[in-house]
Amino acid sequence: MRLLFKAENHAVGGRNPFAWTLSWVLMWLQLCMAFGADGVTVLPPLHHHMKRFSGLYTGPYFDPATTTNITTQLGTHAYLPCKVKQLGNKSVSWIRKRDAHILTVDRYTFIADDRFQAFLVEATDTWTLQIKYVQARDAGQYECQVSTEPKMSHFITLNIVVPKIEIMGESDIYVKTGSTVNLKCVITQSLEEPAYIFWYHDNERVLNYDPSTKDIRMERVGPDTTIGTLIIYDGRREDSGNYTCSPSNLDSASVLLHVLNGEHPAAMQRGKNAASPIPGRWWSHLSAGLGLSACLPPRTAAIAVILLGLAGHALVWTGT
């Protein structure tokens, strides 16, 4: 540029036609360096803007320390990491292997399920697939794919742990009026402690506003076990009914509580479920007839039953 300005000044000041022509030639050459002959801007070659890699890998590669197995609990969030070094201008896709469904490409989601999302942590070069509120069917292999030629893939297996939940004791619990009732809800194989455990009595939530009548507790007793306890003090007839233990993001478990006021449990059960009794004197003859039916033709067995009944009546009548 200094040469251009110097030539222009000399041409104007000295009125030298040669110098004036030279100045315009120099200007045209500099314009050609910035623009093409057709007036279109000439950009430097693309490789001038691309980072040059050196060493063992000259392009994208997966961090060998990236995990291949992730275990999470049913109902929680799963995070599948894919650490790609020297990605450059390539894309990263997540694909579900069981149905070859493309879940995400870079930050865009390609599945009609908003539980799936991918995001990049630039500081660690990690593309992470997030699956919210995982379900049992989400278990399986997922492919992290880089858009090189040929394609590069890293597979991660997602394992889903399903906690077990039960209320200790029988499915029907019988207590006397005035007794203290302890209902214990035991959750095992639980990687995370539930945020809460709700108790319901006949579909209405139990609230321990009065600790003198009811108390609700929750305790973590091991690396994968939580116990929720409902204590009912001075049990009354109205405390009878269905009790359900419902932890956060998990299935529930139920029991039936019977608070008795002097009744016998067996009598209650018989009153509900027992069939009409058969008189004893007829039952013995019927039993014998059923035994005979196993080895005699039906008509012969029926006749034998009638004869046995008549013989029994005769014995009763004679007082034998």
Side-chain angles (χ1 to χ4, degrees):
M1 291 296 293
R2 289 181 180 178
L3 179 61
L4 174 61
F5 293 144
K6 186 175 180 180
E8 275 190 319
N9 292 338
H10 180 73
V12 174
R15 306 292 181 180
N16 188 335
F18 175 77
W20 183 83
T21 304
L22 178 61
S23 69
W24 280 104
V25 170
L26 291 173
M27 182 182 293
W28 180 81
L29 289 174
Q30 291 197 9
L31 290 174
C32 285
M33 292 174 64
F35 298 90
D38 56 357
V40 179
T41 302
V42 178
L43 297 176
L46 182 61
H47 65 269
H48 287 174
H49 288 274
M50 293 181 63
K51 183 178 178 181
R52 285 294 185 179
F53 301 116
S54 61
L56 180 61
Y57 298 98
T58 58
Y61 68 96
F62 295 108
D63 188 330
T66 302
T67 184
T68 58
N69 274 280
I70 293 291
T71 300
T72 192
Q73 181 177 304
L74 183 73
T76 61
H77 296 353
Y79 298 91
L80 281 60
C82 181
K83 185 176 291 188
V84 186
K85 298 291 188 178
Q86 301 180 173
L87 181 62
N89 61 350
K90 303 301 182 184
S91 296
V92 175
S93 304
W94 279 99
I95 302 169
R96 186 169 55 195
K97 188 176 180 182
R98 66 176 168 85
D99 56 2
H101 199 303
I102 298 175
L103 304 175
T104 64
V105 177
D106 292 337
R107 290 185 174 88
Y108 298 97
T109 302
F110 287 84
I111 184 172
D113 188 341
D114 58 6
R115 297 183 306 120
F116 292 87
Q117 180 186 2
F119 57 88
L120 170 65
V121 180
E122 294 187 5
T124 60
D125 300 318
T126 303
W127 281 94
T128 299
L129 177 66
Q130 179 188 51
I131 308 175
K132 298 179 180 179
Y133 309 108
V134 294
Q135 304 169 7
R137 61 187 178 91
D138 293 326
Q141 275 197 327
Y142 292 81
E143 177 186 356
C144 174
Q145 186 183 97
V146 179
S147 62
T148 54
E149 287 297 338
K151 298 292 189 298
M152 297 170 50
S153 297
H154 176 77
F155 292 92
I156 295 181
T157 301
L158 177 62
N159 306 290
I160 308 296
V161 174
V162 181
K164 294 182 179 180
I165 175 172
E166 63 177 346
I167 297 178
M168 294 178 63
E170 302 294 331
S171 58
D172 285 80
I173 300 175
Y174 297 88
V175 298
K176 293 182 180 180
T177 302
S179 301
T180 297
V181 182
N182 280 272
L183 300 179
K184 291 188 177 294
C185 178
V186 181
I187 305 165
T188 56
Q189 297 183 10
S190 174
L191 302 179
E192 298 183 12
E193 183 177 3
Y196 57 81
I197 296 178
F198 288 158
W199 286 91
Y200 294 89
H201 177 209
D202 291 335
N203 297 323
E204 291 188 8
R205 185 178 165 192
V206 178
L207 301 173
N208 56 336
Y209 289 135
D210 186 356
S212 64
T213 59
K214 292 182 179 66
D215 192 13
I216 297 176
R217 304 172 184 175
M218 188 173 75
E219 181 184 9
R220 189 74 167 177
V221 297
D224 65 348
T225 303
T226 301
I227 297 179
T229 305
L230 171 63
I231 304 175
I232 303 173
Y233 300 105
D234 191 20
R236 298 170 294 176
R237 290 293 296 269
E238 51 265 35
D239 292 323
S240 297
N242 180 282
Y243 283 85
T244 300
C245 163
S246 181
S248 59
N249 297 329
L250 295 177
D251 291 334
S252 58
S254 300
V255 295
L256 279 173
L257 175 65
H258 307 270
V259 181
L260 309 179
N261 188 17
E263 303 95 331
H264 194 278
M268 290 181 57
Q269 291 177 349
R270 181 175 180 179
K272 292 181 180 179
N273 303 319
S276 299
I278 299 176
R281 63 184 180 182
W282 285 103
W283 174 248
S284 60
H285 308 320
L286 179 59
S287 299
L290 292 174
L292 290 171
S293 65
C295 55
L296 296 175
R299 175 174 291 185
T300 306
I303 295 173
V305 171
I306 294 172
L307 292 176
L308 286 171
L310 292 175
H313 274 288
L315 290 173
V316 173
W317 182 260
T318 59
T320 303

